[in-house]
Amino acid sequence: MSKTLSKHIRIEAEHWKRLEDAARERNVSPNQLLVELATGALDRSRWPSTDLEIIMVRSCVFTAQAVARDMIAAGRQKEIDEIGKLIDTVAPPLPENL
């Protein structure tokens, strides 16, 4: 048997009820569901985490580059700059060391 810890958290009654209902549907305990959801969220925070996600990102970047080059050739650099500014308002900039 694996070593387990006993920890206590404070949770609002409505949230615990939602966890109980969801756990019952999945046939697990509310505590187990809470642990699975929390660890799943932590795992997803390391994106991209699968080969498929990496392939999709590379495909999107390639497509964006092809469209941008076509727009530059058509003399539409100003539109590309505007799109870049819009993206900066929606997505945070990437770290310099990537």
Side-chain angles (χ1 to χ4, degrees), residues 35-47:
V35 169
E36 289 172 6
L37 291 173
T39 55
L42 291 172
D43 291 343
R44 284 189 303 279
S45 69
R46 288 184 232 124
W47 182 88

Side-chain angles (χ1 to χ4, degrees), residues 7-11 15-16 19-20 22-23 26 28-41:
K7 299 290 181 178
H8 301 277
I9 63 168
R10 295 183 189 276
I11 187 169
H15 293 154
W16 186 251
L19 279 169
E20 285 180 322
R26 292 168 174 81
V28 296
S29 73
N31 287 340
Q32 183 62 36
L33 178 60
L34 187 59
V35 169
E36 289 172 6
L37 291 173
T39 55

Side-chain angles (χ1 to χ4, degrees), residues 58-70:
R58 287 180 177 165
S59 297
C60 290
V61 170
F62 175 79
T63 302
Q65 288 176 338
V67 170
R69 288 178 184 208
D70 187 52

Side-chain angles (χ1 to χ4, degrees):
M1 186 169 140
S2 65
K3 294 181 181 179
T4 60
L5 300 173
S6 177
K7 299 290 181 178
H8 301 277
I9 63 168
R10 295 183 189 276
I11 187 169
E12 293 181 10
E14 312 85 62
H15 293 154
W16 186 251
K17 176 69 174 135
R18 287 182 64 193
L19 279 169
E20 285 180 322
D21 293 343
R24 192 172 16 266
E25 291 174 8
R26 292 168 174 81
N27 202 29
V28 296
S29 73
N31 287 340
Q32 183 62 36
L33 178 60
L34 187 59
V35 169
E36 289 172 6
L37 291 173
T39 55
L42 291 172
D43 291 343
R44 284 189 303 279
S45 69
R46 288 184 232 124
W47 182 88
S49 60
T50 67
D51 289 343
L52 179 59
E53 289 173 341
I54 292 168
I55 291 168
M56 292 299 297
V57 169
R58 287 180 177 165
S59 297
C60 290
V61 170
F62 175 79
T63 302
Q65 288 176 338
V67 170
R69 288 178 184 208
D70 187 52
M71 290 175 75
I72 290 167
R76 298 169 60 190
Q77 179 66 46
K78 184 178 177 184
E79 291 177 65
I80 293 173
D81 296 340
E82 290 172 4
I83 291 169
K85 289 178 186 175
L86 178 61
I87 290 171
D88 288 342
T89 64
V90 177
L94 293 173
E96 294 287 327
N97 58 354
L98 282 182

